[in-house]
């Protein structure tokens, strides 16, 4: 598959769960993301294996409307901090912060107006969620109905897993049939980075 570097994030975003797709498309649309969005997305990108250098290049190029000087003053430090390159206590030095789990994204810092972080299954209206799913190629009526029922029961990550299983159904069938993946590899996804990793492996 596409190597994990700054130039390939658009291509790699096909493997992102909806939360990260939303951050990515918002970033591309606005050439900017607010603080919690940058944090959630930076840690996810670190988790997929993007190097600090590539992550800095990615953000610098994505913020199209600001100067290098502004970028260096206002944004560079926080990206380095997330990677553990600067700041933090001795514990985090060299390692930085852990990418957020679904649990954390679902329960902490709900997004306000103009913010794109959070989980679309949890923080979007059903109509907006359905539109976003359709925009990302999920047209199957049973899947959309299932997602609606899941989110009404507040089973947000189940909705996310439902979409994953649908979007990867032929690949999942193949690795199961060939005995390459067993139940352990197909456990319910509870972390955005697991979603990515599994999709990246299955589609390559
Ligand atoms: Fe992201 Fe988890 Fe929500 Fe899926 S359930 S969209 S991986 S936060």
């Amino acid at each position: 598959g596409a190597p994990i570097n700054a130039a390939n994030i658009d291509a790699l975003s096909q493997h992102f769960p909806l939360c990260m797709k939303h951050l990515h498309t918002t970033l591309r649309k606005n050439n900017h993301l607010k603080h919690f969005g940058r944090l959630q997305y930076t840690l996810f990108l670190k988790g997929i294996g993007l190097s600090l250098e590539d992550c800095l290049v990615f953000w610098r190029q994505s913020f199209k409307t600001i100067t290098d000087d502004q970028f260096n003053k206002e944004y560079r430090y926080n990206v380095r901090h997330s990677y553990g390159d600067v700041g933090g206590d001795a514990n985090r030095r060299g390692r930085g912060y852990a990418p957020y789990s679904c649990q954390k994204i679902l329960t902490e810092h709900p997004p306000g107006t103009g913010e794109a972080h959070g989980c679309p299954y949890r923080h979007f209206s059903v109509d907006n969620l359905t539109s976003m799913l359709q925009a990302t190629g999920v047209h199957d009526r049973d899947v959309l109905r299932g997602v609606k029922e899941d989110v009404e029961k507040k089973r947000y990550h189940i909705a996310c897993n439902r979409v994953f299983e649908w979007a990867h159904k032929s690949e999942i069938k193949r690795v199961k049939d060939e005995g390459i993946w067993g139940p352990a590899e197909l456990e319910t996804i509870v972390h955005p980075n697991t979603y990515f990793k599994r999709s990246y492996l299955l589609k390559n």
Side-chain angles (χ1 to χ4, degrees), residues 9-10 13 16-38 40-41 58-59 62-65 111-118 120 124 132 136:
I9 303 299
D10 288 312
S13 70
F16 291 3
L18 212 54
C19 51
M20 304 303 168
K21 277 187 179 157
H22 182 51
L23 285 167
H24 189 72
T25 50
T26 305
L27 175 63
R28 286 290 177 254
K29 193 172 70 181
N30 299 345
N31 301 313
H32 191 259
L33 280 180
K34 293 194 173 180
H35 174 75
F36 283 117
R38 293 198 304 272
Q40 180 176 317
Y41 198 22
F58 170 72
W59 284 114
S62 297
F63 289 171
K64 291 197 175 67
T65 55
T113 311
E115 292 184 310
H117 67 278
F124 278 23
M132 188 181 176
T136 60

Side-chain angles (χ1 to χ4, degrees), residues 52-164:
L52 170 60
E53 291 67 32
D54 273 65
C55 197
L56 286 165
V57 169
F58 170 72
W59 284 114
R60 172 62 283 241
Q61 292 175 346
S62 297
F63 289 171
K64 291 197 175 67
T65 55
I66 64 169
T67 63
D68 283 343
D69 198 37
Q70 256 178 310
F71 180 79
N72 290 338
K73 272 195 194 120
E74 291 169 38
Y75 302 106
R76 179 175 288 272
Y77 185 90
N78 282 339
V79 177
R80 293 179 60 201
H81 190 253
S82 292
Y83 273 73
D85 195 43
V86 286
D89 54 35
N91 252 338
R92 298 200 189 279
R93 204 154 298 139
R95 188 159 62 83
Y97 291 81
Y100 293 167
S101 65
C102 297
Q103 171 74 9
K104 191 170 168 83
I105 293 170
L106 286 165
T107 55
E108 291 179 17
H109 299 298
T113 311
E115 292 184 310
H117 67 278
C119 170
Y121 296 100
R122 166 80 177 83
H123 297 118
F124 278 23
S125 68
V126 171
D127 284 351
N128 285 348
L129 174 60
T130 305
S131 305
M132 188 181 176
L133 284 169
Q134 287 170 332
T136 60
V138 184
H139 297 292
D140 186 287
R141 283 180 188 203
D142 291 337
V143 173
L144 294 172
R145 193 180 318 116
V147 164
K148 187 165 181 274
E149 287 167 10
D150 293 334
V151 300
E152 280 166 1
K153 290 180 193 144
K154 305 193 189 306
R155 289 152 46 106
Y156 308 111
H157 75 286
I158 299 296
C160 184
N161 278 269
R162 183 187 294 280
V163 168
F164 181 91

